[in-house]
Amino acid sequence: MSDLQQPGAPSAVAERPDAATGATPPDAPRRRRVRPDESHARRYGAGFLVKLAIMAVADAFGVYVLWSAWVAESWVVLGAMLAMLAVVNWVYFSRRTVPMKYVVPGLIFLFTFQIFTIAYTGWVAFTNYGDGHNSTKDDAITALLAQNERRVEGSPALPLTVVDDGGTLGFAVVEPDGTTAVGDAEQPLEPVGATVADGQITAVDGWEVLDRQDVIARQGEVTDLRVPVSDDPNAGSIRTQDARTGYTYTPTLVYDETADTMTDTVTGAVYTPNDDGQFEAADGSTLDVGWRVFVGFDNFTTAFSDSRYAGPFFQVVVWTFVFAIASVATTFLLGMFLASVFNAPLRGRRVYRTLLILPYAIPGFVAPLLWSGLLNRSFGFVNQVLLGGAAIPWLTDPWLAKLSLIGVNLWLGFPYMFLICTGALQSLPSDVLEAAKIDGAGRLRTWRSVTMPLLLVSTTPLLISSFAFNFNNFALVYMLTGGGPRFEDASVPLGHTDILITMVYSVAGLDGTAPKNFGLASALSIVIFVIIATISAVAFKRTRSLEEIN
């Protein structure tokens, strides 16, 4: 026995498994086995209980989303949420997926806010989604039947009271013979016991009479409600606009489910579904309400070939590139120049640097509004004070409006370039600059051959991101010029200072100047994505080449 080994202590050899059999010697220490009746708090600790509570909240939220998707018949959302719930529970309750516990939250947000958004935009780009094509065919049929109604000639005005039964709205009316009846959207009018005062129903058996404030709060439901007069659908239904008087209306369109046709009872015209998601008659006329259908590359074809969009589209594309390149170039050159000046030891350098970054502290959507007032032709500060009352059309002349955009963006953007160039200059290796001086290089040669290449290596990725930002600088264009002045020869609401993203906004109809066309707007969004992705990929490749050279 070795002198270092105490009597009775297990030997080092005995503690290891036998090399031949793989069995552990009897005298080797063994891991403690957890008893089945041992509590979870003792087995896992407080951390497990906290995780259990958090996962219970997450699962409860997930079940709520699943139920909402099921009710709305949104099967894609239901399937995606079900898959995410399964993955999250497997990751956080499995001991084999410890690294994934830190990655899963980010992946969920990436899928929800990036991948799903891009995929949904791509799907919309291949449909006719927009005004008149907002929903399914069944919804379109329901809307057409509801919107195309006329009052029955000679029908009396019925005193009406809005009633409620467990959340279900109904109408209680006083019939011409003095009897009272009540009904809702599913049950036709039927006699009911009611109290009538001054010709108006004040109480109904089994129903709650809504007061005026409740009716106003549910005004949309009241005006949309249609109560059938009887079991015969041709008898019409009761509608109201003021919640006090009801009239009998009958639909002017009749839908034949077997033939899948819509017939106008007034003109006798028969409408059949077409490939564009509308009911179309033999003479080519269509009904107003349609439904979403797959249209393939029609939206892309419209963007590039339709005379309404093709001409303005190419002008907007050219100006978008000019604006983005000019914005990056001017802000970078001015920011780099100021960073170089204040990188040298100067008295009060910190104060100057603080003053220079003040424009960067103003919100990006507020500053353009301020400048739109300053550049106003009639009463702007620039014309009235600085230029002595001149009437220069800074925002209404096409060329001056473009120049104003670049100038205002220079004022807003140079502080950012100043900050990144200052940081890059301060991080340059001093030994390389010292070696250039020893080799006899002057300031200009040192700047051109040493400082500038090293500066570009660290700032080029930020210049690429700045280009992508200015390519989609919606706030500046929309707040300063609104895309104007408008093209004189264009039939669409687009202007000389519109960039692609503001064009998408106008084409989508979100500004209220045109009908909504989400399909075409999504197609243009994909074009923007492809352009920026291609330019960014090429630029980053060139950046790696620059790093290899240096």
Side-chain angles (χ1 to χ4, degrees):
M1 179 181 297
S2 172
D3 294 337
L4 299 177
Q5 184 175 346
Q6 299 297 327
S11 64
V13 176
E15 293 177 359
R16 295 193 298 268
D18 185 30
T21 64
T24 304
D27 54 348
R30 298 183 179 180
R31 295 176 58 186
R32 183 178 67 88
R33 293 184 178 180
V34 181
R35 298 191 308 273
D37 58 344
E38 192 171 3
S39 66
H40 284 292
R42 185 174 178 183
R43 290 178 61 186
Y44 300 102
F48 174 79
L49 298 180
V50 172
K51 180 177 70 174
L52 193 63
I54 295 175
M55 289 303 302
V57 174
D59 288 341
F61 175 76
V63 171
Y64 170 76
V65 174
L66 289 175
W67 174 254
S68 301
W70 176 274
V71 172
E73 298 183 355
S74 182
W75 310 122
V76 175
V77 175
L78 188 145
M81 177 55 66
L82 188 62
M84 284 192 289
L85 278 178
V87 170
V88 168
N89 282 272
W90 172 66
V91 167
Y92 283 96
F93 286 108
S94 175
R95 295 183 179 180
R96 301 179 180 179
T97 57
V98 174
M100 288 294 294
K101 290 179 171 64
Y102 303 95
V103 179
V104 164
L107 291 177
I108 291 177
F109 280 102
L110 176 66
F111 174 81
T112 304
F113 296 105
Q114 294 291 332
I115 297 177
F116 175 77
T117 303
I118 294 173
Y120 185 76
T121 302
W123 174 78
V124 171
F126 293 93
T127 68
N128 63 344
Y129 187 20
D131 278 349
H133 302 275
N134 292 325
S135 190
T136 63
K137 184 178 179 180
D138 291 339
D139 292 339
I141 293 172
T142 302
L144 285 170
L145 295 177
Q147 293 175 11
N148 291 273
E149 295 179 331
R150 63 175 180 174
R151 181 181 170 185
V152 176
E153 295 183 8
S155 61
L158 304 176
L160 179 145
T161 300
V162 181
V163 294
D164 179 88
D165 181 16
T168 301
L169 283 182
F171 291 155
V173 297
V174 179
E175 300 282 6
D177 58 1
T179 60
T180 56
V182 67
D184 57 29
E186 301 296 333
Q187 298 295 329
L189 291 177
E190 57 182 12
V192 68
T195 303
V196 180
D198 297 329
Q200 201 75 24
I201 296 176
T202 58
V204 181
D205 295 343
W207 293 78
E208 175 189 359
V209 174
L210 297 183
D211 57 26
R212 198 65 184 168
Q213 277 128 6
D214 290 335
V215 171
I216 293 174
R218 303 175 68 175
Q219 182 177 3
E221 298 178 63
V222 172
T223 55
D224 290 340
L225 179 61
R226 290 160 179 80
V227 176
V229 173
S230 66
D231 293 328
D232 182 7
N234 295 321
S237 57
I238 302 297
R239 294 180 56 189
T240 184
Q241 295 296 325
D242 59 3
R244 297 184 63 85
T245 305
Y247 300 94
T248 305
Y249 286 80
T250 57
T252 59
L253 291 176
V254 176
Y255 177 67
D256 187 343
E257 186 175 358
T258 303
D260 195 17
T261 58
M262 193 78 71
T263 304
D264 191 328
T265 58
V266 178
T267 63
V270 178
Y271 297 84
T272 58
N274 60 16
D275 295 334
D276 296 327
Q278 286 180 301
F279 282 102
E280 183 178 0
D283 59 357
S285 61
T286 58
L287 298 178
D288 294 336
V289 182
W291 56 93
R292 292 195 302 263
V293 294
F294 183 80
V295 296
F297 289 91
D298 287 355
N299 289 319
F300 296 91
T301 303
T302 300
F304 290 100
S305 62
D306 193 318
S307 59
R308 296 174 301 168
Y309 300 101
F313 176 75
F314 287 107
Q315 295 183 60
V316 169
V317 169
V318 172
W319 164 240
T320 303
F321 274 100
V322 171
F323 171 72
I325 295 172
S327 297
V328 174
T330 54
T331 54
F332 177 70
L333 291 176
L334 181 58
M336 181 180 62
F337 171 76
L338 294 175
S340 301
V341 170
F342 291 103
N343 194 47
L346 294 174
R347 179 177 298 179
R349 181 171 58 177
R350 294 183 178 179
V351 177
Y352 295 141
R353 286 177 173 173
T354 303
L355 294 175
L356 286 175
I357 64 174
L358 283 180
Y360 195 51
I362 301 177
F365 63 91
V366 173
L369 290 175
L370 297 176
W371 275 101
S372 66
L374 294 173
L375 296 174
N376 186 275
R377 179 174 184 171
S378 301
F379 52 83
F381 180 84
V382 173
N383 282 343
Q384 294 300 315
V385 179
L386 299 183
L387 300 180
I392 300 177
W394 295 107
L395 304 179
T396 55
D397 179 80
W399 291 103
L400 289 178
K402 293 177 180 179
L403 182 63
S404 299
L405 272 176
I406 296 175
V408 173
N409 197 46
L410 174 62
W411 184 82
L412 287 170
F414 86 87
Y416 170 73
M417 295 297 181
F418 170 73
L419 289 174
I420 65 173
C421 288
T422 298
L425 288 174
Q426 292 178 351
S427 63
L428 293 180
S430 58
D431 54 345
V432 176
L433 299 176
E434 189 66 28
K437 290 182 180 180
I438 294 175
D439 290 341
R443 291 185 178 180
L444 183 60
R445 182 57 186 275
T446 302
W447 173 261
R448 182 171 60 87
S449 301
V450 179
T451 305
M452 190 63 177
L454 294 176
L455 187 66
L456 288 176
V457 170
S458 57
T459 59
T460 297
L462 298 176
L463 295 179
I464 297 172
S465 64
S466 179
F467 174 84
F469 171 79
N470 284 288
F471 203 89
N472 291 308
N473 198 344
F474 175 84
L476 175 64
V477 176
Y478 189 76
M479 297 295 182
L480 185 62
T481 65
R486 298 299 182 192
F487 290 121
E488 296 179 356
D489 56 347
S491 59
V492 290
L494 298 174
H496 290 273
T497 59
D498 267 313
I499 58 177
L500 281 172
I501 190 64
T502 58
M503 179 180 179
V504 170
Y505 185 78
S506 298
V507 168
L510 298 177
D511 58 354
T513 59
K516 294 180 176 60
N517 192 339
F518 300 122
L520 181 59
S522 298
L524 292 174
S525 299
I526 292 178
V527 173
I528 296 174
F529 172 78
V530 171
I531 291 174
I532 295 179
T534 302
I535 293 176
S536 299
V538 173
F540 276 118
K541 185 176 181 180
R542 298 288 298 176
T543 303
R544 288 195 295 269
S545 301
L546 185 63
E547 292 175 354
E548 293 173 359
I549 293 174
N550 289 278

